[in-house]
Structures are given as structure tokens and as C-alpha cells.
Amino acid sequence: QKEVEQNSGPLSVPEGAIASLNCTYSDRGSQSFFWYRQYSGKSPELIMSIYSNGDKEDGRFTAQLNKASQYVSLLIRDSQPSDSATYLCAVNPYFNKFYFGSGTKLNVKP
Amino acid sequence: EAQVTQNPRYLITVTGKKLTVTCSQNMNHEYMSWYRQDPGLGLRQIYYSMNVEVTDKGDVPEGYKVSRKEKRNFPLILESPSPNQTSLYFCASSSLGGTGSQETQYFGPGTRLLVL
């Protein structure tokens, strides 16, 4: 079982729609969770971090965390073609380890 | 400007020829890490360092070495590269939070390595 699982996609949504990206993790003791965006051939860049159960909103992005279900999601409202990228879920189960999912590719169609 | 730099950005080499990929950060971060990224496998941690002279293996350390003699630098060494080390490599750094947890990792631009 992988430490972090994501659907590889591609997930296609029309411009202006809500994109929903999901991630599950295996280490129940994990405390820190991150969403990164990666454009093709580029380095990952942080979108959101979340540490507590519930929702965290930042502009068009909302991260949702449910530790009981070991589930993290990212909602992108009013999706734009520039949001087309691969989204990586990352989990920090303890201080010296980071585990990344293989990423979900998002296509936003104009 | 806060950044992580890597050199070279692109490298083509032959099997067995030792190479070093440099990584440097200017944010005074304690934690530095190397990842490789392969299609379908995501980012996998090779080695990490909690501070100067403190390094440890990640999930895929075979065939790699690292050193941390200065806080800002964390080079990745391939003593005898093989074709299965062809990959995209990222260096990252972060500070450690008050409880020992990780703060956000910042990534370098990546090094694309081809071993023939």
C-alpha cells in the first residue's frame, strides 16, 4: 500500500466549474498535509497547507482534511485554464519524512 | 530573493562516470532533501538532512550519496551512475516548526539527468 494515494486522472472540467481533487494517506498519525501544483517540466509549488480537521480557504482554493477517514481534498472554484497542471498531495507523517502522491492531472477546458 | 538553486539543470552522462548535482538554499533552512520524480511514481525521497553533518536515507537511497558540510549546501553524488538513475531530480528545503514538524518545503528548479 502506498503512503499517499491519488487518482492519476486526467480530471477534465470546463472553465468556471469546481474541480475536486482527492487524496488518501495511510499513516494515521500524520499531522501536516500539503497540496502542490506542478506544471509540466517545472518544480512543485505550494498551493495550500492544512494541519487541522475541517476546511481551510485561500482565494479560489479550499483544502479539506478528515483525519478520521485519512482523507484530504482540494477544491478549486471558478477553474481557469491556467489551473491546468498536476496536483500533488503531500503528507508529513513525522518530522523527517515527506510522502508525495503520484499526482492528479487536471485539465480545465476553455 | 528566497530560493533553492540546483546545478546543472540538464545533464547527459555515461554509465559509471561519477557526477555531482549541487543544491544551495539562501533561507537558512535546517532541513534539506533530495527527491527523484519518475512518471507514475511521483516524488520519492532519496536522502534528507536535518542539519549540518546530519543526513539519513529516504525511501530510494541506493546508488546515491550526500553530504551536508554547510547549512546552505546539500550536494547529491552519484558515484557510478546507471541508466535506472535517469530521472528528474529535485532538491528541497524547509524550516522546522516549534514542535519539530515540517514547515513548507521549497523546491529547486530540478535537474534532468540522462544516463546512457
Side-chain angles (χ1 to χ4, degrees):
Chain A
Q1 182 187 7
K2 290 185 178 179
E3 300 285 343
V4 180
E5 302 254 20
Q6 292 181 257
N7 189 320
S8 61
L11 174 66
S12 293
V13 300
E15 183 175 355
I18 296 175
S20 178
L21 305 162
N22 305 313
C23 167
T24 58
Y25 60 95
S26 61
D27 192 320
R28 187 170 288 278
S30 299
Q31 297 296 320
S32 306
F33 308 86
F34 306 87
W35 281 100
Y36 286 83
R37 178 176 62 198
Q38 187 177 26
Y39 293 111
S40 181
K42 302 295 185 182
S43 57
E45 55 178 330
L46 183 73
I47 298 294
M48 295 280 288
S49 59
I50 187 166
Y51 304 96
S52 304
N53 276 329
D55 296 358
K56 179 181 178 182
E57 186 174 319
D58 184 0
R60 296 186 297 112
F61 299 95
T62 299
Q64 299 174 318
L65 174 61
N66 184 327
K67 290 185 179 180
S69 299
Q70 296 174 240
Y71 179 90
V72 192
S73 66
L74 179 70
L75 300 177
I76 306 175
R77 289 181 299 281
D78 188 24
S79 295
Q80 301 296 310
S82 59
D83 294 327
S84 296
T86 297
Y87 289 80
L88 306 174
C89 174
V91 175
N92 175 215
Y94 40 99
F95 65 92
N96 58 351
K97 283 287 191 180
F98 256 96
Y99 292 109
F100 285 81
S102 56
T104 298
K105 186 172 184 178
L106 173 65
N107 291 329
V108 181
K109 298 180 178 180
Chain B
E1 179 190 356
Q3 61 182 349
V4 179
T5 58
Q6 293 178 231
N7 282 292
R9 296 288 313 280
Y10 304 92
L11 180 59
I12 300 174
T13 189
V14 295
T15 299
K17 186 175 181 181
K18 180 179 179 179
L19 66 91
T20 299
V21 184
T22 64
C23 173
S24 183
Q25 50 95 4
N26 63 0
M27 294 169 279
N28 201 36
H29 285 164
E30 298 89 356
Y31 183 93
M32 297 185 75
S33 184
W34 276 103
Y35 296 89
R36 60 178 290 175
Q37 187 173 36
D38 303 290
L41 297 177
L43 283 159
R44 293 180 293 168
Q45 193 174 43
I46 302 171
Y47 268 95
Y48 63 90
S49 170
M50 300 296 290
N51 214 323
V52 175
E53 303 292 1
V54 181
T55 64
D56 208 348
K57 297 176 180 179
D59 296 314
V60 288
E62 295 78 19
Y64 304 95
K65 286 176 58 177
V66 293
S67 67
R68 187 94 181 270
K69 294 183 171 57
E70 304 167 284
K71 196 172 186 178
R72 63 183 293 126
N73 296 323
F74 189 45
L76 179 69
I77 303 158
L78 285 72
E79 294 270 2
S80 183
S82 62
N84 64 11
Q85 293 179 296
T86 293
S87 188
L88 178 58
Y89 291 86
F90 288 105
C91 179
S93 73
S94 68
S95 58
L96 296 175
T99 59
S101 63
Q102 289 273 351
E103 301 292 330
T104 302
Q105 283 197 100
Y106 295 89
F107 285 83
T111 295
R112 194 169 290 278
L113 173 65
L114 173 61
V115 183
L116 300 173

